[in-house]
Amino acid sequence: IGYQQRGGSDYYSVQGTPYRLPAFDVPVIFEDDHVAIVNKPAGIVAYRAEGNRGGGSRGGHGRDTLISALPAVLKPSNIPITDENYPMKRPQPVHRLDRPTSGLVVVAKTKLATVYLSQQFEFRKAQKTYMAILNGSPQQPSCDNETTEDGWHLIDHDLEDKSAVTKWKVLQTVKSLHGNNGVLTLVELKPKTGRYHQLRRHMAWVCKAPIVGDATYDEDNMRLRKRGLFLCSNEITIEHPYYNTPSGREEWSQLKKDTLNLGEGCLLEEDEESGIVSLRVRIDLPKKFASFLMHEDARANKFLNETE
């Protein structure tokens, strides 16, 4: 078996390990010595499956996983090695996205970052925002849904007897020949808990408007599945895993005096009241979102005009 090697500064090349480049792109949105945030493509799983189905001894998905691709796209951490903290041999995602979901994934690059970031997701300190296109117009059952003045709705609907809370807001509605009641709806979603398939099930079961392309919770509508699941994690805010530590505060004090060039959609900022340094990252939606809404609306309007 031949391996493709390249000169570079990623984990594999620095370690001198032969490797194949991933068969898919993983854009790196933010990266420093402690944490990285990448854009996972739809159709890619985060971790290898257990066992050896389909992927030999390495697991059911072989190399077609996010965790296998990360060492080829990220740079190794250059932090000093101590008993308490040291660089990870491989970058480690600290949360998951479903296989058909695209969007932002937080990756730890040091031991302490792995602990701090994992705790943020476990205790719901990380703030995640998703965008989705719904098949139909979402309902607002009074027993589960509260509405605020700025248009946000709150779903408090248990899943598997565990608390599951989602905020959602309608952003756009278009006509569709194949959508439920002739409508598709673009919504913004903010999960406050992290239950299995929470957003997909809340939209389908509570709002009665499943996410377009959801083969699990929208079994009846085959015509809207051709372009995959329209669910994207497009914004995330975390507490930086290093700049909020005693040693990191000193470095942050100097860093914030300088011009921070973090790239488009990235923001490092200190809260004036709490002093917590947060990292917020936002990406544009995949192009298929806008093109699909435009196409469906144009087809529906053309049909309606021809039938008048």
Side-chain angles (χ1 to χ4, degrees), residues 5-256:
Q5 289 187 287
R6 61 179 178 178
S9 56
D10 56 80
Y11 278 72
Y12 286 140
S13 61
V14 169
Q15 295 171 1
T17 304
Y19 66 100
R20 291 191 182 98
L21 295 177
F24 49 91
D25 291 330
V26 183
V28 180
I29 311 302
F30 173 87
E31 182 178 15
D32 62 18
D33 278 333
H34 311 276
V35 59
I37 299 181
V38 301
N39 186 359
K40 183 189 85 69
I44 301 300
V45 297
Y47 294 90
R48 301 187 184 101
E50 294 183 1
N52 59 4
R53 292 178 291 105
S57 61
R58 292 197 168 194
H61 300 291
R63 295 182 178 86
D64 293 332
T65 62
L66 180 64
I67 196 169
S68 295
L70 289 175
V73 300
L74 297 180
K75 301 175 182 178
S77 174
N78 289 316
I79 66 165
I81 297 175
T82 65
D83 292 338
E84 295 79 20
N85 197 21
Y86 47 86
M88 302 291 288
K89 291 183 178 180
R90 297 174 63 93
Q92 181 67 37
V94 295
H95 65 113
R96 297 172 183 261
L97 286 183
D98 293 339
R99 181 173 189 162
T101 305
S102 65
L104 299 173
V105 175
V106 179
V107 181
K109 297 175 63 175
T110 70
K111 179 62 176 179
L112 284 183
T114 303
V115 174
Y116 292 158
L117 292 170
S118 297
Q119 289 176 344
Q120 289 184 48
F121 283 90
E122 180 181 358
F123 297 110
R124 312 303 173 200
K125 289 185 176 181
Q127 301 173 32
K128 297 180 286 184
T129 300
Y130 293 73
M131 301 281 270
I133 298 177
L134 306 184
N135 181 10
S137 180
Q139 298 180 16
Q140 304 169 26
S142 57
C143 60
D144 290 312
N145 208 318
E146 301 177 9
T147 305
T148 60
E149 293 182 356
D150 56 359
W152 284 99
H153 307 276
L154 180 67
I155 299 174
D156 188 352
H157 182 88
D158 290 359
L159 298 171
E160 281 85 40
D161 296 322
K162 295 181 179 179
S163 173
V165 179
T166 301
K167 290 180 64 178
W168 64 277
K169 181 178 183 180
V170 172
L171 299 180
Q172 182 183 2
T173 301
V174 302
K175 299 174 184 177
S176 171
L177 295 178
H178 304 304
N180 291 339
N181 299 317
V183 169
L184 298 176
T185 307
L186 177 68
V187 294
E188 185 173 352
L189 306 167
K190 294 181 179 291
K192 299 304 178 182
T193 52
R195 306 305 174 203
Y196 177 71
H197 286 181
Q198 176 177 312
L199 298 180
R200 296 163 65 180
R201 292 198 283 180
H202 272 174
M203 293 301 102
W205 295 352
V206 179
C207 294
K208 308 300 181 184
I211 297 175
V212 171
D214 196 331
T216 302
Y217 303 107
D218 190 16
E219 298 177 356
D220 297 331
N221 200 319
M222 300 293 293
R223 293 185 175 183
L224 295 179
R225 294 190 193 174
K226 297 180 180 179
R227 302 180 69 178
L229 183 70
F230 280 84
L231 178 63
C232 175
S233 172
N234 69 310
E235 183 175 341
I236 195 161
T237 301
I238 59 172
E239 296 177 8
H240 195 279
Y242 175 65
Y243 293 135
N244 293 295
T245 64
S247 57
R249 296 301 303 187
E250 296 181 10
E251 187 171 328
W252 169 252
S253 297
Q254 179 59 44
L255 186 65
K256 67 181 181 180

